[in-house]
Amino acid sequence: MATRLMFENSCEVGVFSKLTNAFCLVAIGGSESFYSTFEAELADVIPVVKTSIGGNRIIGRLCVGNKNGLLLPHTTTDQELQHLRNSLPDQVVVQRIEERLSALGNCIACNDHVALAHTDLDRETEEIIADVLGVEVFRQTIAGNILVGSYCSFSNRGGLVHPHTSIEDLDELSTLLQVPLVAGTVNRGSEVIGAGLTVNDWTAFCGSDTTATELSVIESVFKLREAQPNAVVDEMRKSLIDSYV
Amino acid sequence: MPRRPTRRRRMLNPQPLTFSPFARSVAQIASIHVDRCQTHKSKDQKGSPLNSKDKGIWKHTLEGKNDLSESSEEEGSGGVVQADFVFFDPKLDDFHGVKILLQTYLDDTQWDLSGFVDLILAQTTVGTVVKIEGDDDNTPFSIVTALNLRRYKDHKCIKELKEFLLKVCLEKDVIKDLRLFMGEQANDVGLLVSQRVVNLPPQLLPPLYDALFDEVSWATEDEPTEELRNFFCFKCYLLVSKIYKHKNANQKNKRNLKRRSASDSGDEIVYIKPEDEIFHKLSLWSFSFPMQTQQVETQELKNYRLMGLVMAVEAAKIPTFRQELQSLIVET
């Protein structure tokens, strides 16, 4: 199911949160209702962790992660790094990387198997992504934009990309990612999909400006209507309970 | 996939426009002495604004002369920037840009801002959006409009706005007037919404406000139904704005005055928008309230606190306002 919400009057939910199949990060300083919306959907299944990165609240755009790991920019402080290591399940490897392009969330988009990366990313960073996140990395552009993390959002079930992506590019990306893709918008015509939407295999959160049409497109491409967390999380359940207790 | 050249400044949603290199140049020009600039206003006025989507009535050209480029070369800028500002009727496409301009209208309260922006954009007869000519991004630099409080009283955003204002008004004498404004007298009250980017050239203000008040008076004659015509017969305008108040404004003892050094010789109130000073002077009543949104920390403003200011200005005082605004802008 897709949920609409706001962070302090801003509909850019993907900027202030990061959702994966194993954990959810939420920015501090927002109203309690923002945090509790995530809790209501996810608390029984995966940990919802409040954090900042380098003192910033725009955590969704600064970090990138999936069920295997979480990559943080060099601006992350030691306390934040420790807090994340303590709060996240053990099998999620938390690593801080030295990369010139520090807004990792804008430069990299990934699911549990494949990642799309900014064309100017360092070679070492690409190797770390493949290593820590356990994914195959492809350097791509989306509708001519190099910030792949901003203009697309995909999970293991489907993906949404920039509305101006051509049919050929859509087919090419779909073959690379091995998931069905749709070109669309979020938040009432906004092209910045990554900022307006955050998604995992069974749920999605988008800004409250998102129209009913956009929401139905999101629910159908990400296959959220029949999605149940159990199928995905069963294999991880043991280690999750361990880390709570 | 071959990498196509990207327009890097288009990465995110229309963000605060001061971040683009173009807007920075405009800001530089605007800050240089006005009397050195040549301004040009086109004088052809169209009779009824109802028939024109693109008003193109007021075209303002901000040009730099040679001596300007000398001084700006010392600062290391690119040189002269020409900007043609065009006034448009509000259109539904302007939604995202106008929403960003009004982000902190009611402090950091969570309210139906989207609904409020929809109301503004639906009212095409009264209201102006300022854009740059030939700008592909089509981003609004300013929005000015007047909304009748009774016409929209059933909309969620207006109800939330009323609740907010009544909540933040801590002055007992004013709250009675405020309640009347939003209750019985709502039919005669227009909410004057005026927001713009901080670096918009001040020379645009007189034509902008002239356009608004002229449209209001044309609407009282041109609107198709009697009911709609009456909605624009405002007796009073309500404004919600922001000011900086000196932190020690309440203390008036000598010791405090002595402590104030030369650099601290600022006024009690700093108006972010110059026309607010005139409105405040002519206002029927007003009150200020503290704001929670983070203010920009600068050296000049370190002793000042960001406050919201709500004012009521009688419609009869508007011609005076227009004159004073004209002289204020010419002087600066």
Side-chain angles (χ1 to χ4, degrees), chain B residues 256-288:
Chain B
N256 216 37
L257 287 170
K258 272 195 194 164
R259 269 201 221 135
R260 287 194 190 187
S261 56
S263 62
D264 205 41
S265 59
D267 315 302
E268 196 182 299
I269 297 181
V270 173
Y271 294 92
I272 301 175
K273 298 191 288 204
E275 68 271 22
D276 280 347
E277 191 168 3
I278 310 174
F279 274 130
H280 200 193
K281 200 175 64 179
L282 299 171
S283 63
L284 193 57
W285 48 260
S286 67
F287 69 90
S288 58

Side-chain angles (χ1 to χ4, degrees), chain B residues 187-247:
Chain B
N187 198 35
D188 309 322
V189 177
L191 179 71
L192 207 156
V193 180
S194 167
Q195 279 292 85
R196 54 181 185 269
V197 293
V198 285
N199 53 359
L200 198 77
Q203 298 93 315
L204 283 175
L205 295 177
L208 192 59
Y209 280 99
D210 282 345
L212 176 73
F213 295 120
D214 284 343
E215 281 191 306
V216 167
S217 62
W218 290 333
T220 55
E221 293 157 26
D222 293 334
E223 285 282 6
T225 69
E226 165 109 32
E227 198 193 3
L228 285 174
R229 282 198 285 272
N230 285 339
F231 278 139
F232 291 106
C233 298
F234 296 127
K235 293 214 185 83
C236 216
Y237 290 97
L238 187 65
L239 289 96
V240 180
S241 190
K242 293 188 191 68
I243 50 167
Y244 283 101
K245 230 183 196 176
H246 201 279
K247 283 182 186 160

